[in-house]
């Protein structure tokens, strides 16, 4: 059983998926504290509905990013947090938090890293013309969306997609892979080697492939 601290800034749909998986007995974790840097966000209400402790630590009340992170560290440690989950947390973290939880901070990003780091990725993917998009759970390092990759999910991009439809398709997969990454961590199956995260005991997918647009008659043998 791994003790989580979940950091949020917004709607908290990823938080909700994690809560639901814990309550359904599919995820061996407990949420010790949910912290938002923005007051009044829906993620806090979701947490309260499930009886989870919440706290607002407003970054605007701190002079520097480091002081804000120091406060986060204090609260996370006080609550016995082992693994920090960034779930739609819209702040860049500093070495203060990274040093306190080395390779113990996970983030979810709505793109197939290292492609499309940063924000507003869905329109960028459509404009670029990629045929697949997806999401990535990774350990957080000092860069933006650069840390070792734990798990990824792939979705097709269609000609009539908008940023909204693509976001919705990706978000559905985010809700699956974040819990999976946490469960693999909880089971001690993740081994970090440099920037690679190796996963013990997972089946191979030799014959699994995705092609978009799909193959036609002429390609099938
Ligand atoms: C998701 O798109 C996630 O990938 C990104 O922020 C969004 C969070 O959504 N990091 P939610 O707050 O979990 O609903």
């Amino acid at each position: 059983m791994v003790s989580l601290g979940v950091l949020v800034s917004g709607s908290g749909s990823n938080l909700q998926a994690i809560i639901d998986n814990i309550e359904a007995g599919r995820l061996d974790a407990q949420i010790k504290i949910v912290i938002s840097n923005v007051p009044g966000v829906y993620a806090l209400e979701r947490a309260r509905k499930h009886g989870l402790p919440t706290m607002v630590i407003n970054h605007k009340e701190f002079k520097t990013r480091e002081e804000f992170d120091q406060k986060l560290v204090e609260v996370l440690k006080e609550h016995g947090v082992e693994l920090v989950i960034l779930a739609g947390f819209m702040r860049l973290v500093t070495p203060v938090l990274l040093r306190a939880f080395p390779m113990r901070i996970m983030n979810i990003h709505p793109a197939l890293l290292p492609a499309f780091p940063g924000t507003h990725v869905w329109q960028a993917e459509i404009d670029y013309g990629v045929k697949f998009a997806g999401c990535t759970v990774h350990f957080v390092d000092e860069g933006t969306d650069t840390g070792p990759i734990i798990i990824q999910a792939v979705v097709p991009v269609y000609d009539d997609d908008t940023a909204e439809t693509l976001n919705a398709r990706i978000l559905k997969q985010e809700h699956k892979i974040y819990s999976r990454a946490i469960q693999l961590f909880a089971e001690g199956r993740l081994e970090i080697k440099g920037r690679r995260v190796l996963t013990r005991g997972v089946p191979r997918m030799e014959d699994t492939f995705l092609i978009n647009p799909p193959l036609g008659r002429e390609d099938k043998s």
Side-chain angles (χ1 to χ4, degrees):
M1 177 83 74
V2 59
S3 294
L4 309 178
V6 184
L7 307 191
V8 297
S9 305
S11 111
S13 71
N14 277 290
L15 167 68
Q16 186 69 56
I18 293 165
I19 293 172
D20 292 345
N21 279 322
I22 292 173
E23 290 186 352
R26 291 187 290 259
L27 178 53
D28 299 322
Q30 49 185 333
I31 297 177
K32 296 286 196 177
I33 180 86
V34 175
I35 304 173
S36 174
N37 66 310
V38 184
V41 293
Y42 188 51
L44 291 166
E45 200 176 318
R46 292 185 195 265
R48 283 189 216 108
K49 277 187 191 157
H50 292 267
L52 298 171
T54 62
M55 194 178 281
V56 174
I57 303 178
N58 190 338
H59 63 276
K60 291 183 183 159
E61 291 168 12
F62 296 82
K63 281 208 279 306
T64 63
R65 285 185 190 278
E66 287 75 14
E67 284 172 42
F68 170 68
D69 277 7
Q70 189 51 48
K71 178 70 182 171
L72 289 178
V73 171
E74 273 166 39
V75 172
L76 292 165
K77 295 278 182 194
E78 266 165 30
H79 286 80
V81 167
E82 296 166 298
L83 179 65
V84 180
I85 300 298
L86 309 187
F89 182 63
M90 303 306 283
R91 300 293 300 169
L92 296 178
V93 304
T94 71
V96 172
L97 188 64
L98 293 167
R99 272 197 296 266
F101 293 93
M103 289 300 146
R104 293 284 180 279
I105 306 173
M106 287 185 187
N107 182 44
I108 190 153
H109 179 73
L112 290 174
L113 292 171
F116 301 104
T119 54
H120 306 295
V121 296
W122 310 284
Q123 193 58 49
E125 289 169 325
I126 291 167
D127 292 346
Y128 195 95
V130 294
K131 299 301 183 192
F132 287 104
C135 45
T136 304
V137 179
H138 63 92
F139 285 113
V140 176
D141 67 5
E142 298 203 10
T144 303
D145 303 323
T146 54
I149 291 171
I150 302 164
I151 187 169
Q152 296 185 303
V154 176
V155 304
V157 180
Y158 297 121
D159 291 352
D160 60 356
D161 264 326
T162 61
E164 289 69 34
T165 59
L166 184 55
N167 179 5
R169 192 173 308 123
I170 293 171
L171 198 56
K172 253 184 165 170
Q173 302 309 313
E174 292 184 27
H175 297 162
K176 295 179 196 160
I177 67 170
Y178 219 162
S179 291
R180 183 65 181 145
I182 297 166
Q183 182 61 21
L184 289 169
F185 180 94
E187 291 174 6
R189 288 166 64 187
L190 300 179
E191 185 191 341
I192 303 168
K193 276 204 166 169
R195 61 155 301 113
R196 298 180 72 203
V197 181
L198 310 183
T199 314
R200 289 195 199 88
V202 288
R204 300 180 81 89
M205 302 187 294
E206 307 285 7
D207 294 323
T208 307
F209 59 90
L210 292 168
I211 299 174
N212 182 36
L215 294 181
R217 265 183 303 126
E218 69 284 9
D219 303 307
K220 287 181 182 150
S221 52

